[in-house]
Amino acid sequence: MDELKVLVSRQQIARRVREMAEQITADAKGEPMIFVGVLKGAAIFLSDLVRQVEVDATFEFLAVSSYGNRPTPTPELGRAWDSTGEVRLTKDVDQSLRGRNVILVEDILDTGLTLTFLRRLLLGHEPRSLRVAVLLDKPSRRKMPVEVDYIGFSIPDEFVVGYGLDFAERYRNLPDVCVLPATAWTDGS
Ligand code: IMP
Ligand code: MG
C-alpha cells in the first residue's frame, strides 16, 4: 500500500481517546450509557472508546446513506464530492433508547448534514440524555451547525482516511489518520 502522510498519529489518537473516555466517564455520573456507533467509519473509534469508559455500557450500531450520495471524491466531482443532504437510515438500532442515556459516536463531522439527521432521529426515541462524540471535525466545511459534546481533533479541509475512515471502502484499517492526496481522486487539473 502506498505511503500516505500521517495527519493524526496512532499515539495522538490513543492519548486523546483516553482523555475523551475520562470526560465521558465523569459526565456519566455513574449512570448506564448506550453508545450508538455509525457504521462503518465509527466502528474502530467506538471500540477503543468503550473499552476505556468506566461506566455500565452497552453498544449499538446504525447505518446511513445519502440520496444523491457522492460519498467519495471522484475526478469528475473534484472537491464538490459531498452529499446533497438527504440522509436515509439503512440500519436502525436493535434496542429501545427510550429513557436511556445515549452517546452517538461518529468518525468525522464535516458538513454536519449526517449528524443533524441522526440527532433528530435519536431524539425521536425520547432518550433520557443524548450526547455526541466525534473523533474528527472539519469546521471549515460546515453547512449546518451541530451540537457536539466531545471532539477528538479539529482538522483542516483535507480528505482523510484510516482509523475507520475510508476512500471507496479502502484504508479503514490504517492505524493513523492520514491525508489522501488530491491526486488520488482528481485528474490533477
Ligand atoms: P457530513 O454529513 O458532511 O458531516 O459527513 C459526514 C460523513 O462524511 C462521515 O461520516 C464520513 O462518512 C464522510 N466523510 C466526511 N469527510 C470525510 C473524510 O475526510 N474522509 C472520509 N470520510 C469522510
Ligand atoms: Mg461515516
PDB file of all heavy atoms in Angstrom, residues 24-39:
ATOM      1  N   ILE A  24     -16.111  11.429  29.421  1.00  0.00           N
ATOM      2  CA  ILE A  24     -17.419  10.766  29.310  1.00  0.00           C
ATOM      3  C   ILE A  24     -17.753  10.047  30.619  1.00  0.00           C
ATOM      4  O   ILE A  24     -18.881  10.099  31.107  1.00  0.00           O
ATOM      5  CB  ILE A  24     -17.431   9.804  28.099  1.00  0.00           C
ATOM      6  CG1 ILE A  24     -17.417  10.619  26.794  1.00  0.00           C
ATOM      7  CG2 ILE A  24     -18.630   8.858  28.139  1.00  0.00           C
ATOM      8  CD1 ILE A  24     -17.159   9.812  25.539  1.00  0.00           C
ATOM      9  N   THR A  25     -16.744   9.408  31.209  1.00  0.00           N
ATOM     10  CA  THR A  25     -16.940   8.726  32.490  1.00  0.00           C
ATOM     11  C   THR A  25     -17.380   9.721  33.567  1.00  0.00           C
ATOM     12  O   THR A  25     -18.339   9.471  34.306  1.00  0.00           O
ATOM     13  CB  THR A  25     -15.633   8.035  32.941  1.00  0.00           C
ATOM     14  OG1 THR A  25     -15.245   7.101  31.930  1.00  0.00           O
ATOM     15  CG2 THR A  25     -15.803   7.303  34.264  1.00  0.00           C
ATOM     16  N   ALA A  26     -16.696  10.864  33.615  1.00  0.00           N
ATOM     17  CA  ALA A  26     -17.045  11.880  34.622  1.00  0.00           C
ATOM     18  C   ALA A  26     -18.462  12.394  34.390  1.00  0.00           C
ATOM     19  O   ALA A  26     -19.246  12.536  35.335  1.00  0.00           O
ATOM     20  CB  ALA A  26     -16.033  13.022  34.574  1.00  0.00           C
ATOM     21  N   ASP A  27     -18.806  12.665  33.125  1.00  0.00           N
ATOM     22  CA  ASP A  27     -20.125  13.225  32.810  1.00  0.00           C
ATOM     23  C   ASP A  27     -21.255  12.217  33.026  1.00  0.00           C
ATOM     24  O   ASP A  27     -22.408  12.610  33.231  1.00  0.00           O
ATOM     25  CB  ASP A  27     -20.167  13.710  31.352  1.00  0.00           C
ATOM     26  CG  ASP A  27     -19.242  14.899  31.117  1.00  0.00           C
ATOM     27  OD1 ASP A  27     -18.752  15.480  32.106  1.00  0.00           O
ATOM     28  OD2 ASP A  27     -19.005  15.238  29.936  1.00  0.00           O
ATOM     29  N   ALA A  28     -20.939  10.928  32.967  1.00  0.00           N
ATOM     30  CA  ALA A  28     -21.979   9.905  33.115  1.00  0.00           C
ATOM     31  C   ALA A  28     -22.488   9.818  34.554  1.00  0.00           C
ATOM     32  O   ALA A  28     -23.591   9.320  34.793  1.00  0.00           O
ATOM     33  CB  ALA A  28     -21.441   8.548  32.674  1.00  0.00           C
ATOM     34  N   LYS A  29     -21.695  10.300  35.505  1.00  0.00           N
ATOM     35  CA  LYS A  29     -22.083  10.319  36.922  1.00  0.00           C
ATOM     36  C   LYS A  29     -22.642   8.979  37.394  1.00  0.00           C
ATOM     37  O   LYS A  29     -23.664   8.916  38.078  1.00  0.00           O
ATOM     38  CB  LYS A  29     -23.101  11.431  37.165  1.00  0.00           C
ATOM     39  CG  LYS A  29     -22.551  12.820  36.847  1.00  0.00           C
ATOM     40  CD  LYS A  29     -23.430  13.922  37.396  1.00  0.00           C
ATOM     41  CE  LYS A  29     -22.744  15.266  37.377  1.00  0.00           C
ATOM     42  NZ  LYS A  29     -22.382  15.729  36.026  1.00  0.00           N
ATOM     43  N   GLY A  30     -21.999   7.921  36.955  1.00  0.00           N
ATOM     44  CA  GLY A  30     -22.375   6.591  37.442  1.00  0.00           C
ATOM     45  C   GLY A  30     -23.603   5.978  36.776  1.00  0.00           C
ATOM     46  O   GLY A  30     -23.983   4.855  37.110  1.00  0.00           O
ATOM     47  N   GLU A  31     -24.214   6.706  35.833  1.00  0.00           N
ATOM     48  CA  GLU A  31     -25.411   6.137  35.183  1.00  0.00           C
ATOM     49  C   GLU A  31     -25.020   5.276  33.982  1.00  0.00           C
ATOM     50  O   GLU A  31     -24.017   5.543  33.322  1.00  0.00           O
ATOM     51  CB  GLU A  31     -26.333   7.278  34.717  1.00  0.00           C
ATOM     52  CG  GLU A  31     -26.927   8.043  35.872  1.00  0.00           C
ATOM     53  CD  GLU A  31     -28.066   8.959  35.436  1.00  0.00           C
ATOM     54  OE1 GLU A  31     -28.524   8.843  34.280  1.00  0.00           O
ATOM     55  OE2 GLU A  31     -28.475   9.782  36.258  1.00  0.00           O
ATOM     56  N   PRO A  32     -25.820   4.259  33.658  1.00  0.00           N
ATOM     57  CA  PRO A  32     -25.513   3.434  32.483  1.00  0.00           C
ATOM     58  C   PRO A  32     -25.692   4.211  31.171  1.00  0.00           C
ATOM     59  O   PRO A  32     -26.471   5.164  31.118  1.00  0.00           O
ATOM     60  CB  PRO A  32     -26.524   2.284  32.562  1.00  0.00           C
ATOM     61  CG  PRO A  32     -27.522   2.654  33.589  1.00  0.00           C
ATOM     62  CD  PRO A  32     -26.989   3.794  34.401  1.00  0.00           C
ATOM     63  N   MET A  33     -24.946   3.808  30.136  1.00  0.00           N
ATOM     64  CA  MET A  33     -24.998   4.519  28.858  1.00  0.00           C
ATOM     65  C   MET A  33     -25.090   3.531  27.699  1.00  0.00           C
ATOM     66  O   MET A  33     -24.527   2.442  27.777  1.00  0.00           O
ATOM     67  CB  MET A  33     -23.716   5.305  28.614  1.00  0.00           C
ATOM     68  CG  MET A  33     -23.165   6.058  29.779  1.00  0.00           C
ATOM     69  SD  MET A  33     -22.912   7.798  29.433  1.00  0.00           S
ATOM     70  CE  MET A  33     -24.241   8.219  28.417  1.00  0.00           C
ATOM     71  N   ILE A  34     -25.738   3.982  26.633  1.00  0.00           N
ATOM     72  CA  ILE A  34     -25.708   3.223  25.371  1.00  0.00           C
ATOM     73  C   ILE A  34     -24.877   4.022  24.366  1.00  0.00           C
ATOM     74  O   ILE A  34     -25.195   5.188  24.094  1.00  0.00           O
ATOM     75  CB  ILE A  34     -27.113   3.020  24.762  1.00  0.00           C
ATOM     76  CG1 ILE A  34     -28.029   2.293  25.740  1.00  0.00           C
ATOM     77  CG2 ILE A  34     -27.003   2.237  23.449  1.00  0.00           C
ATOM     78  CD1 ILE A  34     -29.372   1.899  25.130  1.00  0.00           C
ATOM     79  N   PHE A  35     -23.850   3.396  23.847  1.00  0.00           N
ATOM     80  CA  PHE A  35     -23.031   4.020  22.802  1.00  0.00           C
ATOM     81  C   PHE A  35     -23.579   3.579  21.454  1.00  0.00           C
ATOM     82  O   PHE A  35     -23.685   2.372  21.192  1.00  0.00           O
ATOM     83  CB  PHE A  35     -21.567   3.583  22.942  1.00  0.00           C
ATOM     84  CG  PHE A  35     -20.905   4.182  24.144  1.00  0.00           C
ATOM     85  CD1 PHE A  35     -21.129   3.656  25.413  1.00  0.00           C
ATOM     86  CD2 PHE A  35     -20.088   5.290  24.023  1.00  0.00           C
ATOM     87  CE1 PHE A  35     -20.545   4.222  26.536  1.00  0.00           C
ATOM     88  CE2 PHE A  35     -19.484   5.862  25.134  1.00  0.00           C
ATOM     89  CZ  PHE A  35     -19.721   5.328  26.396  1.00  0.00           C
ATOM     90  N   VAL A  36     -23.938   4.549  20.610  1.00  0.00           N
ATOM     91  CA  VAL A  36     -24.510   4.231  19.298  1.00  0.00           C
ATOM     92  C   VAL A  36     -23.515   4.658  18.224  1.00  0.00           C
ATOM     93  O   VAL A  36     -23.310   5.851  17.983  1.00  0.00           O
ATOM     94  CB  VAL A  36     -25.862   4.942  19.096  1.00  0.00           C
ATOM     95  CG1 VAL A  36     -26.409   4.647  17.708  1.00  0.00           C
ATOM     96  CG2 VAL A  36     -26.869   4.516  20.162  1.00  0.00           C
ATOM     97  N   GLY A  37     -22.889   3.686  17.573  1.00  0.00           N
ATOM     98  CA  GLY A  37     -21.882   3.970  16.546  1.00  0.00           C
ATOM     99  C   GLY A  37     -22.497   4.007  15.159  1.00  0.00           C
ATOM    100  O   GLY A  37     -23.442   3.282  14.862  1.00  0.00           O
ATOM    101  N   VAL A  38     -21.944   4.871  14.316  1.00  0.00           N
ATOM    102  CA  VAL A  38     -22.408   4.979  12.933  1.00  0.00           C
ATOM    103  C   VAL A  38     -21.481   4.143  12.045  1.00  0.00           C
ATOM    104  O   VAL A  38     -20.284   4.423  11.948  1.00  0.00           O
ATOM    105  CB  VAL A  38     -22.414   6.452  12.465  1.00  0.00           C
ATOM    106  CG1 VAL A  38     -23.028   6.568  11.071  1.00  0.00           C
ATOM    107  CG2 VAL A  38     -23.166   7.337  13.456  1.00  0.00           C
ATOM    108  N   LEU A  39     -22.062   3.116  11.445  1.00  0.00           N
ATOM    109  CA  LEU A  39     -21.273   2.225  10.572  1.00  0.00           C
ATOM    110  C   LEU A  39     -20.902   2.924   9.273  1.00  0.00           C
ATOM    111  O   LEU A  39     -21.678   3.723   8.777  1.00  0.00           O
ATOM    112  CB  LEU A  39     -22.080   0.960  10.243  1.00  0.00           C
ATOM    113  CG  LEU A  39     -22.316   0.010  11.426  1.00  0.00           C
ATOM    114  CD1 LEU A  39     -23.254  -1.114  11.009  1.00  0.00           C
ATOM    115  CD2 LEU A  39     -20.999  -0.546  11.943  1.00  0.00           C
TER     116      LEU A  39
END
